Amino acid sequence: MTRFAYIFAIAVFIIPAPGPARADIASIEDATAEKVMGNADAPVTMIEYSSLSCPHCAAFHRDSLPKIKKTYIDTGKVKLIYRDFPFGGLAMAGAMVARCAGSKKYFGMIDILFRSQEDWTRGKNPLADIKRVARFGGMSESDVEKCLADEPLMQAIQKRQKEGETEYGVNSTPTFFINGIEVKGALPFEEYKKVIDKALKKLN
């Protein structure tokens, strides 16, 4: 049994049959909405396909993204659209929990999950580890249990991942599209800067 199957096997036994209420976690509309960092009207769009269990994705968020955010996102030049591309069950579980935290907390949760990646992807009790991480985003244990039992949310993530594969040819993470230009891998900030500056120059 995979660790993700293990999580859901536990959820089946401890979570009552889902009802219409989602009072303690984000609505399905909020949870499945496109997640955008920065000004929605920014001239350059940077789409990121990422897996929360991917070490290279964690390296990008740790090393390069803060510089991109300071130089381009915070100045209104770039908006980052984050799209889940989970490789494996644990990455899917992390993606679901981040989305259940709600749009206002979303990128904070993504940051926490990447920074604690080794803890919750390599522990002996994945469910307990994910619950501990989720507490930093204000989610209770019951919130996490309810979230991981949310089949429509999981299906929505899977659908968007499939669209990334079929429409954009994504097959590895992280993969970026900067105004349509594909950039693969966790690269030094300067490499992203070259592509972003070129995209900005084309607009002038």
Side-chain angles (χ1 to χ4, degrees), residues 7 90 93-94 97 113 120 125-135 144 148:
I7 289 174
L90 285 177
V97 168
L113 285 162
W120 62 271
N125 190 334
L127 180 60
D129 292 336
I130 287 174
K131 285 179 176 179
R132 278 194 290 271
V133 174
R135 283 197 206 112
V144 173
L148 294 180

PDB file of all heavy atoms in Angstrom, residues 7 90 93-94 97 113 120 125-135 144 148:
ATOM      1  N   ILE A   7      -3.029   6.991   3.856  1.00  0.00           N
ATOM      2  CA  ILE A   7      -3.726   8.174   4.373  1.00  0.00           C
ATOM      3  C   ILE A   7      -5.217   8.060   4.135  1.00  0.00           C
ATOM      4  O   ILE A   7      -6.030   8.282   5.021  1.00  0.00           O
ATOM      5  CB  ILE A   7      -3.181   9.457   3.709  1.00  0.00           C
ATOM      6  CG1 ILE A   7      -1.767   9.735   4.215  1.00  0.00           C
ATOM      7  CG2 ILE A   7      -4.085  10.644   3.983  1.00  0.00           C
ATOM      8  CD1 ILE A   7      -1.102  10.888   3.517  1.00  0.00           C
ATOM      9  N   LEU A  90       1.610  11.488  -1.672  1.00  0.00           N
ATOM     10  CA  LEU A  90       1.897  12.485  -0.641  1.00  0.00           C
ATOM     11  C   LEU A  90       1.864  13.896  -1.214  1.00  0.00           C
ATOM     12  O   LEU A  90       1.396  14.828  -0.559  1.00  0.00           O
ATOM     13  CB  LEU A  90       3.257  12.201   0.007  1.00  0.00           C
ATOM     14  CG  LEU A  90       3.277  11.017   0.973  1.00  0.00           C
ATOM     15  CD1 LEU A  90       4.686  10.792   1.501  1.00  0.00           C
ATOM     16  CD2 LEU A  90       2.317  11.224   2.128  1.00  0.00           C
ATOM     17  N   ALA A  93      -1.702  14.823  -1.416  1.00  0.00           N
ATOM     18  CA  ALA A  93      -2.232  15.170  -0.090  1.00  0.00           C
ATOM     19  C   ALA A  93      -1.815  16.580   0.311  1.00  0.00           C
ATOM     20  O   ALA A  93      -2.622  17.366   0.815  1.00  0.00           O
ATOM     21  CB  ALA A  93      -1.754  14.159   0.953  1.00  0.00           C
ATOM     22  N   GLY A  94      -0.546  16.921   0.075  1.00  0.00           N
ATOM     23  CA  GLY A  94      -0.069  18.262   0.390  1.00  0.00           C
ATOM     24  C   GLY A  94      -0.792  19.324  -0.421  1.00  0.00           C
ATOM     25  O   GLY A  94      -1.163  20.381   0.105  1.00  0.00           O
ATOM     26  N   VAL A  97      -4.315  19.835   1.001  1.00  0.00           N
ATOM     27  CA  VAL A  97      -4.310  20.566   2.279  1.00  0.00           C
ATOM     28  C   VAL A  97      -4.057  22.053   2.044  1.00  0.00           C
ATOM     29  O   VAL A  97      -4.712  22.909   2.642  1.00  0.00           O
ATOM     30  CB  VAL A  97      -3.271  19.963   3.237  1.00  0.00           C
ATOM     31  CG1 VAL A  97      -3.027  20.873   4.439  1.00  0.00           C
ATOM     32  CG2 VAL A  97      -3.735  18.586   3.720  1.00  0.00           C
ATOM     33  N   LEU A 113       4.987  23.944   3.449  1.00  0.00           N
ATOM     34  CA  LEU A 113       5.094  22.560   2.976  1.00  0.00           C
ATOM     35  C   LEU A 113       6.427  22.311   2.271  1.00  0.00           C
ATOM     36  O   LEU A 113       7.036  21.247   2.443  1.00  0.00           O
ATOM     37  CB  LEU A 113       3.920  22.243   2.049  1.00  0.00           C
ATOM     38  CG  LEU A 113       2.590  22.026   2.763  1.00  0.00           C
ATOM     39  CD1 LEU A 113       1.417  22.162   1.785  1.00  0.00           C
ATOM     40  CD2 LEU A 113       2.542  20.669   3.449  1.00  0.00           C
ATOM     41  N   TRP A 120       7.583  15.731   6.252  1.00  0.00           N
ATOM     42  CA  TRP A 120       6.302  15.078   5.980  1.00  0.00           C
ATOM     43  C   TRP A 120       6.346  14.092   4.824  1.00  0.00           C
ATOM     44  O   TRP A 120       5.420  13.304   4.650  1.00  0.00           O
ATOM     45  CB  TRP A 120       5.187  16.108   5.769  1.00  0.00           C
ATOM     46  CG  TRP A 120       5.352  17.043   4.614  1.00  0.00           C
ATOM     47  CD1 TRP A 120       5.991  18.243   4.623  1.00  0.00           C
ATOM     48  CD2 TRP A 120       4.845  16.871   3.287  1.00  0.00           C
ATOM     49  NE1 TRP A 120       5.933  18.830   3.384  1.00  0.00           N
ATOM     50  CE2 TRP A 120       5.224  18.018   2.553  1.00  0.00           C
ATOM     51  CE3 TRP A 120       4.107  15.880   2.653  1.00  0.00           C
ATOM     52  CZ2 TRP A 120       4.901  18.179   1.202  1.00  0.00           C
ATOM     53  CZ3 TRP A 120       3.773  16.035   1.307  1.00  0.00           C
ATOM     54  CH2 TRP A 120       4.178  17.175   0.609  1.00  0.00           C
ATOM     55  N   ASN A 125       4.781   8.238   9.792  1.00  0.00           N
ATOM     56  CA  ASN A 125       3.333   8.433   9.883  1.00  0.00           C
ATOM     57  C   ASN A 125       2.954   9.669   9.078  1.00  0.00           C
ATOM     58  O   ASN A 125       2.853  10.761   9.620  1.00  0.00           O
ATOM     59  CB  ASN A 125       2.911   8.593  11.345  1.00  0.00           C
ATOM     60  CG  ASN A 125       1.404   8.557  11.524  1.00  0.00           C
ATOM     61  OD1 ASN A 125       0.658   8.884  10.606  1.00  0.00           O
ATOM     62  ND2 ASN A 125       0.955   8.177  12.703  1.00  0.00           N
ATOM     63  N   PRO A 126       2.756   9.513   7.765  1.00  0.00           N
ATOM     64  CA  PRO A 126       2.507  10.669   6.900  1.00  0.00           C
ATOM     65  C   PRO A 126       1.311  11.505   7.320  1.00  0.00           C
ATOM     66  O   PRO A 126       1.365  12.739   7.253  1.00  0.00           O
ATOM     67  CB  PRO A 126       2.276  10.028   5.525  1.00  0.00           C
ATOM     68  CG  PRO A 126       2.963   8.718   5.595  1.00  0.00           C
ATOM     69  CD  PRO A 126       2.804   8.255   7.003  1.00  0.00           C
ATOM     70  N   LEU A 127       0.231  10.874   7.726  1.00  0.00           N
ATOM     71  CA  LEU A 127      -0.963  11.619   8.101  1.00  0.00           C
ATOM     72  C   LEU A 127      -0.689  12.535   9.287  1.00  0.00           C
ATOM     73  O   LEU A 127      -1.055  13.717   9.276  1.00  0.00           O
ATOM     74  CB  LEU A 127      -2.111  10.662   8.426  1.00  0.00           C
ATOM     75  CG  LEU A 127      -3.428  11.322   8.848  1.00  0.00           C
ATOM     76  CD1 LEU A 127      -3.949  12.239   7.752  1.00  0.00           C
ATOM     77  CD2 LEU A 127      -4.463  10.267   9.204  1.00  0.00           C
ATOM     78  N   ALA A 128      -0.015  11.993  10.308  1.00  0.00           N
ATOM     79  CA  ALA A 128       0.308  12.806  11.483  1.00  0.00           C
ATOM     80  C   ALA A 128       1.248  13.947  11.117  1.00  0.00           C
ATOM     81  O   ALA A 128       1.115  15.066  11.622  1.00  0.00           O
ATOM     82  CB  ALA A 128       0.929  11.931  12.573  1.00  0.00           C
ATOM     83  N   ASP A 129       2.204  13.667  10.234  1.00  0.00           N
ATOM     84  CA  ASP A 129       3.165  14.696   9.835  1.00  0.00           C
ATOM     85  C   ASP A 129       2.481  15.816   9.069  1.00  0.00           C
ATOM     86  O   ASP A 129       2.771  17.000   9.276  1.00  0.00           O
ATOM     87  CB  ASP A 129       4.273  14.074   8.974  1.00  0.00           C
ATOM     88  CG  ASP A 129       5.162  13.134   9.760  1.00  0.00           C
ATOM     89  OD1 ASP A 129       5.230  13.290  10.995  1.00  0.00           O
ATOM     90  OD2 ASP A 129       5.766  12.237   9.152  1.00  0.00           O
ATOM     91  N   ILE A 130       1.563  15.470   8.176  1.00  0.00           N
ATOM     92  CA  ILE A 130       0.837  16.485   7.414  1.00  0.00           C
ATOM     93  C   ILE A 130      -0.037  17.315   8.344  1.00  0.00           C
ATOM     94  O   ILE A 130      -0.147  18.531   8.184  1.00  0.00           O
ATOM     95  CB  ILE A 130       0.013  15.823   6.291  1.00  0.00           C
ATOM     96  CG1 ILE A 130       0.946  15.343   5.181  1.00  0.00           C
ATOM     97  CG2 ILE A 130      -1.020  16.805   5.710  1.00  0.00           C
ATOM     98  CD1 ILE A 130       0.269  14.540   4.095  1.00  0.00           C
ATOM     99  N   LYS A 131      -0.637  16.666   9.328  1.00  0.00           N
ATOM    100  CA  LYS A 131      -1.462  17.397  10.294  1.00  0.00           C
ATOM    101  C   LYS A 131      -0.631  18.412  11.063  1.00  0.00           C
ATOM    102  O   LYS A 131      -1.078  19.539  11.327  1.00  0.00           O
ATOM    103  CB  LYS A 131      -2.132  16.426  11.265  1.00  0.00           C
ATOM    104  CG  LYS A 131      -3.299  15.656  10.672  1.00  0.00           C
ATOM    105  CD  LYS A 131      -3.885  14.704  11.698  1.00  0.00           C
ATOM    106  CE  LYS A 131      -5.110  13.988  11.159  1.00  0.00           C
ATOM    107  NZ  LYS A 131      -5.668  13.036  12.147  1.00  0.00           N
ATOM    108  N   ARG A 132       0.589  18.021  11.433  1.00  0.00           N
ATOM    109  CA  ARG A 132       1.465  18.937  12.185  1.00  0.00           C
ATOM    110  C   ARG A 132       1.828  20.147  11.326  1.00  0.00           C
ATOM    111  O   ARG A 132       1.819  21.286  11.810  1.00  0.00           O
ATOM    112  CB  ARG A 132       2.730  18.208  12.639  1.00  0.00           C
ATOM    113  CG  ARG A 132       2.553  17.384  13.906  1.00  0.00           C
ATOM    114  CD  ARG A 132       3.891  16.982  14.490  1.00  0.00           C
ATOM    115  NE  ARG A 132       4.573  15.998  13.657  1.00  0.00           N
ATOM    116  CZ  ARG A 132       4.408  14.679  13.777  1.00  0.00           C
ATOM    117  NH1 ARG A 132       3.585  14.199  14.689  1.00  0.00           N
ATOM    118  NH2 ARG A 132       5.064  13.842  12.999  1.00  0.00           N
ATOM    119  N   VAL A 133       2.142  19.907  10.076  1.00  0.00           N
ATOM    120  CA  VAL A 133       2.476  21.014   9.174  1.00  0.00           C
ATOM    121  C   VAL A 133       1.263  21.921   8.988  1.00  0.00           C
ATOM    122  O   VAL A 133       1.371  23.155   9.005  1.00  0.00           O
ATOM    123  CB  VAL A 133       2.955  20.477   7.810  1.00  0.00           C
ATOM    124  CG1 VAL A 133       3.161  21.628   6.834  1.00  0.00           C
ATOM    125  CG2 VAL A 133       4.255  19.691   7.971  1.00  0.00           C
ATOM    126  N   ALA A 134       0.083  21.319   8.831  1.00  0.00           N
ATOM    127  CA  ALA A 134      -1.133  22.080   8.561  1.00  0.00           C
ATOM    128  C   ALA A 134      -1.508  23.005   9.711  1.00  0.00           C
ATOM    129  O   ALA A 134      -2.165  24.024   9.501  1.00  0.00           O
ATOM    130  CB  ALA A 134      -2.288  21.131   8.259  1.00  0.00           C
ATOM    131  N   ARG A 135      -1.087  22.663  10.930  1.00  0.00           N
ATOM    132  CA  ARG A 135      -1.389  23.518  12.085  1.00  0.00           C
ATOM    133  C   ARG A 135      -0.834  24.921  11.894  1.00  0.00           C
ATOM    134  O   ARG A 135      -1.412  25.901  12.361  1.00  0.00           O
ATOM    135  CB  ARG A 135      -0.796  22.923  13.364  1.00  0.00           C
ATOM    136  CG  ARG A 135      -1.578  21.763  13.922  1.00  0.00           C
ATOM    137  CD  ARG A 135      -1.196  21.493  15.366  1.00  0.00           C
ATOM    138  NE  ARG A 135      -1.437  20.097  15.704  1.00  0.00           N
ATOM    139  CZ  ARG A 135      -0.490  19.220  15.973  1.00  0.00           C
ATOM    140  NH1 ARG A 135       0.787  19.584  15.950  1.00  0.00           N
ATOM    141  NH2 ARG A 135      -0.793  17.980  16.281  1.00  0.00           N
ATOM    142  N   VAL A 144      -7.985  18.725   8.351  1.00  0.00           N
ATOM    143  CA  VAL A 144      -7.143  17.940   7.441  1.00  0.00           C
ATOM    144  C   VAL A 144      -7.864  16.660   7.027  1.00  0.00           C
ATOM    145  O   VAL A 144      -7.856  16.276   5.843  1.00  0.00           O
ATOM    146  CB  VAL A 144      -5.786  17.613   8.099  1.00  0.00           C
ATOM    147  CG1 VAL A 144      -4.977  16.662   7.215  1.00  0.00           C
ATOM    148  CG2 VAL A 144      -4.995  18.891   8.349  1.00  0.00           C
ATOM    149  N   LEU A 148      -8.767  15.727   3.169  1.00  0.00           N
ATOM    150  CA  LEU A 148      -8.229  14.565   2.461  1.00  0.00           C
ATOM    151  C   LEU A 148      -9.315  13.605   2.000  1.00  0.00           C
ATOM    152  O   LEU A 148      -9.060  12.739   1.155  1.00  0.00           O
ATOM    153  CB  LEU A 148      -7.214  13.835   3.348  1.00  0.00           C
ATOM    154  CG  LEU A 148      -5.937  14.612   3.664  1.00  0.00           C
ATOM    155  CD1 LEU A 148      -5.016  13.788   4.544  1.00  0.00           C
ATOM    156  CD2 LEU A 148      -5.220  15.010   2.388  1.00  0.00           C
TER     157      LEU A 148
END
